Amino acid sequence: MLTVQTRFPSPVPLPVPDAVRCVCLAYVTEDGRSFRLGRHPSTSAWGAMLWLSWRAAHIADQLDPPAARRVRAGLADEGTTRRALEQLGRGEPYLLAIHDGPVHYLLSATPVGAVPGAVPAVGAGSAVS
């Protein structure tokens, strides 16, 4: 039987404990429609990354094989995960963008102590096209 732990310890301490908001959105560039695909409050940077990876894997399951391979390769990249954890540990938001034709998926993790509306610096997240 598989048991899932509800709290995941973070290898990178957060400036504000128990406070990372995760959000997944999709939008269509042709007409500007947007869709909320889920949100999750996390107690750690590590838990936030697990949720983002889980949602990205669900998105990859629905993409064409070439796009799905790019998403899964990005999720398997340990360096990207390490940089994302460090970024969250500094209290900065992390953004993962997945592009599939006219549909764009945005997955974000934002520490509660981060500046509202702050946009990650260029190169601070990952973009999978």
Side-chain angles (χ1 to χ4, degrees):
M1 179 176 172
L2 177 66
T3 305
V4 177
Q5 186 176 354
T6 57
R7 290 181 174 245
F8 299 98
S10 175
V12 179
L14 288 171
V16 180
D18 299 342
V20 181
R21 288 187 197 115
C22 302
V23 176
C24 180
L25 302 170
Y27 69 93
V28 182
T29 56
E30 294 171 343
D31 58 13
R33 288 180 298 151
S34 63
F35 305 92
R36 295 183 116 204
L37 300 180
R39 63 186 177 126
H40 174 74
S42 181
T43 59
S44 68
W46 183 247
M49 290 306 299
L50 286 174
W51 189 84
L52 290 180
S53 297
W54 176 73
R55 287 302 292 143
H58 283 184
I59 291 167
D61 289 343
Q62 300 174 38
L63 300 177
D64 291 331
R69 278 192 295 274
R70 289 190 301 269
V71 172
R72 288 194 175 90
L75 293 174
D77 183 13
E78 292 179 18
T80 300
T81 301
R82 181 179 37 78
R83 286 187 297 277
L85 288 169
E86 290 169 356
Q87 189 171 326
L88 289 169
R90 290 190 305 267
E92 300 170 2
Y94 174 76
L95 177 69
L96 171 65
I98 300 170
H99 308 289
D100 184 34
V103 180
H104 298 269
Y105 300 91
L106 299 174
L107 295 91
S108 67
T110 307
V112 171
V115 178
V119 177
V122 174
S126 297
V128 180
S129 300

